[in-house]
């Protein structure tokens, strides 16, 4: 953030990180069971939460964006 003078951080391919199935051949319709459960990679969630917390603690005005792409 400092070295390149960025004002935000983009987390790319989040659906690939969040799920053990990497979002491949999934069609999320909005049911909670599709988003939570055994298919969730808890380490990835912790990584995103910690990264977000650190960024906003060190740079309160920064913008964080999560790009989610599902494969059909």
């Amino acid at each position: 953030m400092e070295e390149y003078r960025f004002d935000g951080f983009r987390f790319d391919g989040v659906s690939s990180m969040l799920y053990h199935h990497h979002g491949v051949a999934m069609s999320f319709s909005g049911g909670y069971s599709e988003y939570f459960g055994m298919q969730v990679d808890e380490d990835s969630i912790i990584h995103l939460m910690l990264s977000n917390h650190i960024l906003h603690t060190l740079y309160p005005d920064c913008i964080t964006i999560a790009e989610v792409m599902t494969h059909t």
Side-chain angles (χ1 to χ4, degrees):
M1 295 279 292
E2 285 180 30
E3 184 173 342
Y4 295 105
R5 304 197 188 283
F6 291 148
D7 60 357
F9 194 90
R10 178 180 177 198
F11 296 93
D12 195 27
V14 172
S15 57
S16 295
M17 293 172 55
L18 290 180
Y19 302 103
H20 294 292
H21 54 62
H22 307 293
V24 175
M26 292 298 298
S27 177
F28 294 105
S29 64
Y32 284 117
S33 63
E34 297 172 337
Y35 300 101
F36 304 103
M38 297 301 293
Q39 69 272 15
V40 174
D41 185 341
E42 293 175 356
D43 291 336
S44 293
I45 293 174
I46 292 169
H47 167 74
L48 290 169
M49 290 171 60
L50 183 59
S51 298
N52 220 355
H53 176 74
I54 290 170
L55 283 165
H56 288 283
T57 298
L58 296 175
Y59 311 100
D61 295 329
C62 81
I63 298 169
T64 53
I65 299 170
E67 181 271 337
V68 177
M69 182 176 170
T70 55
H71 306 276
T72 56

